[in-house]
Amino acid sequence: MKKRILVIMGHPGTQSFCASLADAYVQGATDAGHAVQRIDVRDLVFDPILHEGYRQIQALEPDLLAAQQALQGADHLVFIYPTWWGGMPALLKGFFERVLLPGFAFK
């Protein structure tokens, strides 16, 4: 059964082990007949800072609106990122904070 797979690559560099993993995953899933979309967070244009927390929702940039649409349309999510200082890279965390908003990702 063909799945719609969304790969979110969270490493901020262009040449990394994570990028190689993402490339290999996308190639394998595509070869298996799945529809694959990839988001490289480093290539998106957005402010990663949640300036007012969730007290006031910032208007989403076009790249973040497109990411929300991609998330809604996916059957399967793949997150690829390094663990730095016990967590994900700051840019990826900012992406999640801006995209996974109340009313979209949770109530």
Side-chain angles (χ1 to χ4, degrees):
M1 183 171 171
K2 181 178 178 177
K3 290 190 177 190
R4 294 171 304 203
I5 300 172
L6 177 61
V7 176
I8 297 179
M9 218 294 278
H11 194 291
T14 57
Q15 302 294 319
S16 67
F17 180 63
C18 288
S20 296
L21 288 175
D23 292 342
Y25 187 95
V26 168
Q27 185 65 51
T30 301
D31 289 349
H34 300 291
V36 182
Q37 182 178 358
R38 177 173 166 170
I39 295 175
D40 287 272
V41 176
R42 71 172 172 269
D43 295 334
L44 303 180
V45 177
F46 73 102
D47 180 357
I49 300 170
L50 195 60
H51 292 279
E52 297 295 327
Y54 293 116
R55 290 184 306 260
Q56 180 180 346
I57 303 300
Q58 295 167 228
L60 292 179
E61 294 86 345
D63 284 348
L64 297 184
L65 290 170
Q68 282 186 334
Q69 289 178 340
L71 284 163
Q72 286 178 317
D75 298 314
H76 184 77
L77 300 174
V78 177
F79 301 100
I80 300 174
Y81 60 91
T83 301
W84 292 340
W85 289 99
M88 66 185 74
L91 185 61
L92 181 60
K93 186 169 187 315
F95 170 80
F96 286 140
E97 288 175 348
R98 293 290 316 285
V99 169
L100 302 178
L101 297 172
F104 175 76
F106 61 94
K107 293 181 181 188

